[in-house]
């Protein structure tokens, strides 16, 4: 009790929020994209369905372990459905239009439609063989693996966070890509919300009638959201550029175009036997010129970065795990092409090559290196 009969004010206890630890930095989104693109590169080096399935399983496990609870993270299922649709379309084309792969194991013979002379080389119907179906399945599975790897990158890395790390010269292009990548997950979330609302009201949400009643509000909402996004971006100064001297603009254009031409010529030289001597120097010169052009082009977009994502040891390890998988399958494809490309004529059952399969398991390292979303405060 104080001298005036008043009770002294209690000393305020520190609230739990004052002792709350600082948020743990998340993994750099560029590391997730490099990891996913490396897995996609590895998928292009093989048609072995066992290795491709192992790549899909590894990426799915990492996505299930490391993705956060965001709308973009839930888009992984949509990419998986799109991959299954690609396989189905590839098989349908092989059945209807035939395949150049010869085969002796006839499964079914469809009625063949006669075509005019100007359509020579195209076939409708006819004999469907097991060899042609397997060739279509292998090609479709490889393309599906690429799509699933891109879906894994979209689920693990928020495109808006990746936008902050782009060079200034690529910022406008990055904004367009980010808006495009964000549109699909939001559209899927809108469709799910509208269908759930119709089910709660006891109304049908399937069929042509349900699709029509759900599709129109979804498209209307997407249009309104696009207009609001454009207004918000304009209010925040997106698209505004700084004045640079004409000499700098001309130098930037020359370096960028010259660098891209050098990259194309150097890559062509490396892929041909005649250009083995000049391919690598031209490629390196083109990359250096393109990087210099991007650096100069960044002067037209002066901006600051709010809380930039650090590139730490975890980012290096995640990138290295994906690059190791791509390098291992590239080496295996040159040393033992029969193991990574199962034979079709004659039919050979695919086998799982041991050390390439072990190398694919390196793609699981991010699941143990990166903290799970539940561990993040």
């Amino acid at each position: 009790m104080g001298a005036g009969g008043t009770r002294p004010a209690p000393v305020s206890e520190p609230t739990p929020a004052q002792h709350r630890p600082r948020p743990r930095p998340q993994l750099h989104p560029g590391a997730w994209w490099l990891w996913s693109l490396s897995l996609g590169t590895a998928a292009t080096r093989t048609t072995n369905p066992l290795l491709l399935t192992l790549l899909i399983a590894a990426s799915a496990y990492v996505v299930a372990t490391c993705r956060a609870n965001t709308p973009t993270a839930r888009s992984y299922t949509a990419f998986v459905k799109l991959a299954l649709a690609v396989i189905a379309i590839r098989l349908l084309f092989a059945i209807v239009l035939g395949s150049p792969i010869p085969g002796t194991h006839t499964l079914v013979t469809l009625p063949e439609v006669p075509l005019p002379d100007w359509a020579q080389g195209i076939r409708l119907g006819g004999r469907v063989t097991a060899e042609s179906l397997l060739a279509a399945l292998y090609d479709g599975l490889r393309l599906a693996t690429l799509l699933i790897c891109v879906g894994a990158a979209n689920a693990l890395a928020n495109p808006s966070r990746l936008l902050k790390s782009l060079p200034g010269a690529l910022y406008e292009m990055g904004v367009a890509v980010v808006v495009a990548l964000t549109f699909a997950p939001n559209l899927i979330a809108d469709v799910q919300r509208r269908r759930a609302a119709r089910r709660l009201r006891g109304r049908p949400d399937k069929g042509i009638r349900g699709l029509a009643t759900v599709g129109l509000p979804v498209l209307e909402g997407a249009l309104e959201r696009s207009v609001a996004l454009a207004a918000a971006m304009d209010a925040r100064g997106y698209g505004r550029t700084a004045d640079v001297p004409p000499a700098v603009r001309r130098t930037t254009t020359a370096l960028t175009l010259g660098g891209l031409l050098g990259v194309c010529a150097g890559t062509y030289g490396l892929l041909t036997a005649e250009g083995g001597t000049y391919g690598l120097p031209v490629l390196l010169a083109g990359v250096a010129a393109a990087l210099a052009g991007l650096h100069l082009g960044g002067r037209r977009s002066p901006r600051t970065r709010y809380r930039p994502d650090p590139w730490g040891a975890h980012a290096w390890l995640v990138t290295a795990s994906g690059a190791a998988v791509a390098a291992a399958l590239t080496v295996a494809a040159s040393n033992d092409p029969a193991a990574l490309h199962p034979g079709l004529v004659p039919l050979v059952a695919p086998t799982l090559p041991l050390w390439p399969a072990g190398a694919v398991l390196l793609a699981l390292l991010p699941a143990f290196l990166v903290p799970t979303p539940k561990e993040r405060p």
Side-chain angles (χ1 to χ4, degrees):
M1 188 74 68
T6 58
R7 187 182 297 275
V11 179
S12 61
E13 296 291 337
T15 61
Q18 292 174 331
H19 293 287
R20 185 178 300 168
R22 296 184 62 185
R24 191 170 183 175
Q26 298 182 10
L27 190 71
H28 197 286
W32 282 127
W33 275 96
L34 290 177
W35 174 81
S36 301
L37 293 179
S38 298
L39 296 190
T41 303
T44 61
R45 312 312 300 172
T46 179
T47 55
N48 191 320
L50 301 179
L51 286 176
L52 293 174
T53 305
L54 196 59
L55 279 170
I56 293 174
S59 65
Y61 181 79
V62 174
V63 169
T65 305
C66 300
R67 70 175 173 180
N69 187 16
T70 60
T72 55
R74 290 192 289 272
S75 64
Y76 182 74
T77 307
F79 278 92
V80 173
K81 292 179 180 177
L82 179 62
L84 294 177
V86 167
I87 295 176
I89 292 173
R90 184 68 181 86
L91 289 174
L92 181 63
F93 278 11
I95 293 173
V96 176
L97 301 178
S99 174
I101 303 295
T104 57
H105 299 78
T106 303
L107 298 178
V108 64
T109 302
L110 300 176
E112 189 168 353
V113 178
L115 296 176
D117 295 337
W118 56 265
Q120 288 184 357
I122 301 176
R123 193 191 67 180
L124 285 178
R127 197 163 56 95
V128 180
T129 62
E131 290 85 350
S132 63
L133 281 184
L134 273 182
L137 178 63
Y138 291 171
D139 285 343
L141 185 59
R142 181 164 57 176
L143 183 56
T145 307
L146 281 172
L147 287 173
I148 290 176
C149 290
V150 174
N154 200 33
L156 292 169
N158 191 342
S160 60
R161 289 179 52 220
L162 181 63
L163 179 63
K164 295 192 301 182
S165 304
L166 285 178
L170 301 177
Y171 189 71
E172 295 177 359
M173 184 178 65
V175 169
V177 173
V178 167
V179 171
L181 289 176
T182 310
F183 177 77
N186 290 331
L187 193 64
I188 294 171
D190 280 351
V191 171
Q192 293 175 348
R193 188 168 57 252
R194 300 281 181 181
R195 292 183 62 185
R198 289 189 64 82
R199 283 197 297 269
L200 290 175
R201 294 170 184 167
R203 297 176 181 175
D205 62 321
K206 296 181 180 178
I208 298 177
R209 184 178 179 183
L211 181 63
T213 54
V214 171
L216 186 59
V218 167
L219 292 178
E220 183 181 356
L223 182 60
E224 292 178 354
R225 193 165 47 248
S226 301
V227 173
L229 177 62
M233 292 174 69
D234 182 68
R236 287 166 173 79
Y238 282 91
R240 297 175 186 172
T241 58
D243 293 332
V244 294
V248 175
R249 290 202 302 268
R250 287 193 291 269
T251 305
T252 302
T253 304
L255 286 175
T256 305
L257 293 180
L260 292 178
L261 290 175
V263 170
C264 294
T267 305
Y268 177 77
L270 288 178
L271 295 178
T272 57
E274 294 80 6
T277 55
Y278 68 84
L280 184 59
V282 172
L283 177 63
L284 294 178
V287 170
L291 291 178
L294 291 178
H295 177 71
L296 287 178
R299 295 185 179 182
R300 297 180 67 247
S301 178
R303 57 190 176 88
T304 58
R305 293 178 182 176
Y306 179 67
R307 290 182 180 178
D309 293 314
W311 186 282
H314 284 168
W316 282 114
L317 291 174
V318 169
T319 305
S321 66
V325 175
L329 288 195
T330 301
V331 173
S334 59
N335 292 339
D336 191 7
L340 270 69
H341 299 278
L344 295 171
V345 182
L347 280 177
V348 176
T351 58
L352 185 64
L354 291 182
W355 76 266
V360 171
L361 295 180
L362 292 175
L364 294 173
L365 283 179
F368 306 99
L369 295 175
V370 180
T372 61
K374 292 181 180 179
E375 296 174 358
R376 293 170 185 153

